[in-house]
Amino acid sequence: MISNFVAIDFEFLPSLGRIIQIGYVVVRNGVIVDTYEQLVNPCCSRQDFYLVPMVSNITGITYDMVQNAPTFEDVWPDLYKVINKQIIVAHNACSADLSVLSKELFRICERTDQYSDIAFDCYCTMNIAKSLSHSKCGLSILCQEYDIELSAHHNAFADAEATAKLFIEFVNRYNIRHYSPV
């Protein structure tokens, strides 16, 4: 049974592929043992930040809030230590979290190959829900169905915490034991 993993979530600017908030939850032996939440400066103009104004409306994150935050390059060394060679769990991993992470890493690796060895296995709770024949697989809907608190949807930490609890529920209820690519 899978009991050690890191659930992660990113809020990001889809028009730029830039992360504006990171949240993760470290789970050991099926219990949350560490958490992290950080706003991230996407290093863009105000105009570029609001190219898709809906992002700020949904997340509550504004351009002014991220101006004094560290950049992704600043926070990456610590994040790398947490996720490298681990099992990562994300909701909608392929089209959202892993996609934007790949874009950010590409920017870093253009200047250095220091982190080119990043490796992890990934489970996607959305894909798991689809494989279990759920007709609606949004995180908030699944949390309601499995009676999991989602304190602030579209907040990276709250979504990562809810994803961790959802994955624990899936593992316990459906006996998920092996890695299956997302």
Side-chain angles (χ1 to χ4, degrees):
M1 192 169 328
I2 302 162
S3 60
N4 299 316
F5 62 90
V6 179
I8 196 161
D9 187 76
F10 302 111
E11 299 305 326
F12 59 95
L13 303 172
S15 57
L16 301 175
R18 301 303 298 251
I19 292 171
I20 59 173
Q21 187 182 40
I22 297 170
Y24 68 71
V25 173
V26 177
V27 176
R28 297 290 176 247
N29 298 315
V31 177
I32 295 172
V33 297
D34 192 17
T35 63
Y36 176 83
E37 179 177 13
Q38 177 66 58
L39 288 174
V40 177
N41 185 334
C43 301
C44 66
S45 70
R46 181 180 297 272
Q47 181 180 358
D48 286 344
F49 188 91
Y50 291 113
L51 278 175
V52 182
M54 181 175 63
V55 172
S56 189
N57 294 338
I58 290 172
T59 65
I61 299 170
T62 66
Y63 177 81
D64 292 335
M65 291 170 67
V66 299
Q67 288 312 291
N68 294 320
T71 66
F72 181 78
E73 197 162 348
D74 293 334
V75 299
W76 173 244
D78 290 334
L79 182 59
Y80 170 86
K81 291 175 190 171
V82 172
I83 68 173
N84 192 37
K85 302 195 179 13
Q86 298 296 310
I87 292 174
I88 302 301
V89 177
H91 193 80
N92 197 12
C94 291
S95 63
D97 299 288
L98 295 184
S99 175
V100 75
L101 177 61
S102 294
K103 288 175 184 174
E104 291 283 15
L105 292 179
F106 182 76
R107 283 186 196 89
I108 291 172
C109 290
E110 282 184 318
R111 293 185 297 279
T112 176
D113 65 351
Q114 183 177 1
Y115 301 107
S116 61
D117 67 335
I118 184 74
F120 50 79
D121 292 334
C122 186
Y123 284 82
C124 176
T125 50
M126 178 180 275
N127 286 352
I128 293 169
K130 286 177 183 177
S131 75
L132 297 170
S133 301
H134 287 277
S135 60
K136 295 182 180 178
C137 299
L139 183 59
S140 61
I141 291 168
L142 291 169
C143 286
Q144 286 177 353
E145 185 172 330
Y146 288 95
D147 198 29
I148 294 168
E149 181 182 350
L150 178 54
S151 59
H153 193 24
H154 298 297
N155 167 282
F157 169 72
D159 287 356
E161 181 180 43
T163 299
K165 291 176 180 178
L166 181 62
F167 187 70
I168 290 167
E169 182 70 23
F170 284 165
V171 166
N172 291 336
R173 189 179 289 205
Y174 303 109
N175 204 24
I176 297 170
R177 295 178 174 271
H178 59 85
Y179 169 70
S180 179
V182 292

